[in-house]
Amino acid sequence: MRGLAAGNWKMNGTGESLSEIEALLAAHPTPGCEVLICPPATLLARLASMVHGTALKVGGQDCHAAASGAHTGDISAPMLAEAGADYVILGHSERRANHAESDAVVAAKVSAAQAAGLKAIVCVGETEAERDGGRTLDIITTQIEGSLPEGTDPACLVIAYEPVWAIGTGRTPTTDQIAEVHAALRAQLADRFGTDRIALLYGGSVKPSNAAEIFAIPHVNGALVGGASLKAADFGGIIEALSAA
Ligand code: PEP
């Protein structure tokens, strides 16, 4: 399976930031893994036309479950696809926490994304209190069950394991902790979909200095990267580590 290095710019980036993409493309014209940038919605169409014909793909950071309607401020999956997106991140812990997105809401968005021809990157992860309480695997399993609707197409699905306490904190789980969750995810998805070809990303404070160690963990097929995806040099280091894994 080809690895995926996915960058989530969150609410960062203006037109000026596209110079980082130019630098990234110049340094990595033919990466040995799939490379994706999910910019803020304001930059999506611009970035998509900029990277057209290159190895770099573009994605959204969220979508609404409906295709259109009275939902001020929201963006639908067909709109993302029309703007040039191939992927959309769904159920990121910041959406779950800041916008009260339940597993059922995420599931409805997965259906909408796949109906629009987008690949869904579905995020799951435990809080620190849940990990300390020994509930990590229960939480992950439940989130997967509730966030993947009936009819999910495994060929258009990526899962990102992102411990909430590791996002933007500089802290990462041990390799054994990541391995335990990824093995559980692999087993659960194989059981449900009959395939072990669904890419499993790790996300949470991935940077060039820890990427190689993380990519050596069984069933880690890439990374979802926040802060370190904003600078070409940092994201480039992660792309190199994944290409070499
Ligand atoms: C994220 O928000 O998905 C993420 C992994 O952020 P960071 O890499 O900054 O921890």
Side-chain angles (χ1 to χ4, degrees):
M1 197 186 323
R2 211 154 176 255
L4 171 62
N8 172 14
W9 280 14
K10 311 191 185 192
M11 199 173 70
N12 297 294
T14 58
E16 272 182 12
S17 321
L18 296 177
S19 62
E20 294 296 330
I21 301 297
E22 274 164 18
L24 189 69
L25 287 172
H28 302 279
T30 52
C33 61
E34 201 174 347
V35 181
L36 168 71
I37 294 284
C38 301
T42 47
L43 290 178
L44 215 145
R46 232 168 120 185
L47 182 60
S49 73
M50 185 177 154
V51 303
H52 187 73
T54 74
L56 207 148
K57 300 252 190 309
V58 172
Q61 297 177 10
D62 178 49
C63 72
H64 197 278
S68 64
H71 303 289
T72 303
D74 282 316
I75 299 179
S76 74
M79 290 169 180
L80 291 176
E82 193 205 19
D86 285 310
Y87 284 86
V88 61
I89 299 169
L90 295 174
H92 190 283
S93 61
E94 287 154 14
R95 301 270 337 156
R96 290 179 186 265
N98 302 346
H99 299 269
E101 287 191 6
S102 63
D103 289 340
V105 167
V106 177
K109 293 181 177 199
V110 172
S111 294
Q114 294 198 334
L118 298 173
K119 292 181 188 144
I121 301 177
V122 177
C123 303
V124 295
E126 82 286 3
T127 63
E128 189 156 30
E130 288 163 346
R131 176 163 282 281
D132 290 347
R135 297 175 55 217
T136 299
L137 293 186
D138 270 0
I139 295 290
I140 306 291
T141 308
T142 304
Q143 285 179 336
I144 288 285
E145 250 169 42
S147 303
L148 302 184
E150 231 172 86
T152 297
D153 177 359
C156 297
L157 179 67
V158 174
I159 301 295
Y161 166 52
E162 298 207 303
V164 177
W165 52 273
I167 293 178
T169 59
R171 298 167 59 205
T172 51
T174 64
T175 52
D176 284 351
Q177 288 171 329
I178 296 174
E180 181 187 37
V181 173
H182 277 244
L185 282 169
R186 180 59 74 219
Q188 186 182 5
L189 293 167
D191 190 43
R192 168 145 174 205
F193 294 107
T195 176
D196 57 6
R197 306 282 304 162
I198 298 169
L200 303 181
L201 311 184
Y202 167 76
S205 297
V206 178
K207 47 194 180 217
S209 57
N210 63 16
E213 191 185 2
I214 290 170
F215 296 145
I217 300 170
H219 305 300
V220 174
N221 310 119
L224 181 54
V225 183
S229 70
L230 294 169
K231 292 282 169 224
D234 291 340
F235 200 42
I238 292 168
I239 290 168
E240 275 168 28
L242 184 56
S243 301

